[in-house]
Amino acid sequence: MWTSTEPVVSTMARQAYHYLLARREWTRDNLAHHLQVGREQVSAVLEELAELGLVRPSQEVSERLEVVPPAVGWARLVAHSETALREHAARVSDVKTAMSAFLETFEARERCAAQENIEVHKGRDAAVTKVGELLAGARREVLTVVTAAPSAPTLAHARQGDGALLARGTSVRAIYLQSHWRQSRELQSYLTWLVGRGAEVRLAGTLPTRFIIADRRVLTVALDPCVPEAGAVTVTSPGLVALAGSFFDHLWAEATPLEQRNAAAENACRTTPLEVTVLRLLAEGNKDEAVSRRTGLSLRSVRRTIAGVSQRIGAASRFELGVRSSQLGLLDSAGCDSNGPAHEATSSS
């Protein structure tokens, strides 16, 4: 039987119908010749036209088929198609209604799940409180990235929490900005204290934003990396926490261990004023020959001086020598005090 899901009229049935309309007298053989098919296919085509209501049995001649005029036959087909279309539209409407209800339920569940996995702490005090709770609950490992220059009161408060954390055997790995370490005696003292109690500390040239991961299951990240006072957000979604953990591992691999940086700083303190002068001249873009003329040293002595400083501070190239000299403050001042290499003032100290 013909249904609304099948073609309304096949190509061969349409050709046959046009042929029958044009001829009042026709035979199955003539139709077969016109369509270039066998008698069996002609019978199938005529059955299709009968089912569509485009031909009907003759009431005068047995086994003869009469062609139904298009105004009647095609009108019936159009009405049938319109009915099928309305039924289909009704089914589509039912599906849309069911889908809308499903989406509403799904989105409500997702919102509830998101609220369970994400907690916002607006303001710095709320964020500090949450971090304290997070660290107090950590038992296995704490990973932290610090991007703001800690003040002296902040470091004093951190000693209490970090001391308790390390005392119960929790592993601590922390990454700080090397510029903050270089500029703040308080931070240098705190990080030395931290390492002395078993923590691992590294320094990086750049860091993205402040975040902490506790036991690889809870992540706390700053709401706005540029505004510490904005607060923080805590995430417990396993996927996001795992992503942050992988990101920390990448930052950790690229950072420099504090012990190496301290060793380089101690070596830098043995740099003489003449060596600093040579470094400054190199930083200004002078070639070895120009440095020799301006300092009165022989060209061989200039190169021996450069090699000696490079070896002491761990620079493998001229470019790295300039970078590390700047990081260690050798280009800012000509000497060191009892606390380490030369420092710049910082409002956060």
Side-chain angles (χ1 to χ4, degrees), residues 120-128 147-149 207-211 221-233:
V120 178
H121 318 284
K122 293 186 177 180
R124 190 162 193 167
D125 289 338
V128 170
T147 55
L207 291 171
T209 188
R210 174 83 164 108
F211 67 90
V221 60
L223 276 175
D224 188 334
C226 300
V227 184
E229 294 76 13
V233 58

Side-chain angles (χ1 to χ4, degrees), residues 282 286-293 299 302-303 306 318:
L282 290 175
N286 290 284
K287 301 294 184 181
D288 292 357
E289 292 78 4
V291 174
S292 174
R293 288 195 303 271
L299 184 60
V302 168
R303 291 172 176 168
I306 295 171
R318 291 288 182 97

Side-chain angles (χ1 to χ4, degrees), residues 110-268:
E110 287 295 296
R111 286 194 295 269
C112 290
Q115 290 174 356
E116 292 175 357
N117 292 332
I118 298 177
E119 184 180 357
V120 178
H121 318 284
K122 293 186 177 180
R124 190 162 193 167
D125 289 338
V128 170
T129 299
K130 185 60 183 181
V131 169
E133 296 175 358
L134 184 66
L135 297 181
R139 289 294 178 268
R140 182 170 56 86
E141 178 188 56
V142 170
L143 311 175
T144 180
V145 170
V146 182
T147 55
S151 63
T154 298
L155 293 175
H157 180 267
R159 283 177 186 257
Q160 299 177 1
D162 292 339
L165 192 67
L166 293 165
R168 63 174 181 264
T170 304
S171 170
V172 175
R173 287 194 288 161
I175 309 176
Y176 286 78
L177 284 169
Q178 60 189 12
S179 60
H180 293 162
W181 170 83
R182 183 165 62 87
Q183 295 169 358
S184 171
R185 293 186 179 90
E186 288 84 357
L187 181 57
Q188 291 177 30
S189 174
Y190 166 72
L191 295 184
T192 300
W193 171 86
L194 199 61
V195 171
R197 278 157 180 74
E200 295 181 78
V201 177
R202 293 192 176 187
L203 303 176
T206 60
L207 291 171
T209 188
R210 174 83 164 108
F211 67 90
I212 301 174
I213 305 173
D215 294 334
R216 299 275 178 165
R217 63 178 184 81
V218 184
L219 164 68
T220 297
V221 60
L223 276 175
D224 188 334
C226 300
V227 184
E229 294 76 13
V233 58
T234 299
V235 180
T236 56
S237 172
L240 292 177
V241 175
L243 179 63
S246 298
F247 185 41
F248 179 90
D249 293 338
H250 172 74
L251 294 174
W252 183 261
E254 296 296 321
T256 301
L258 182 65
E259 295 84 351
Q260 293 183 16
R261 187 66 64 180
N262 281 334
E266 292 174 1
N267 290 331

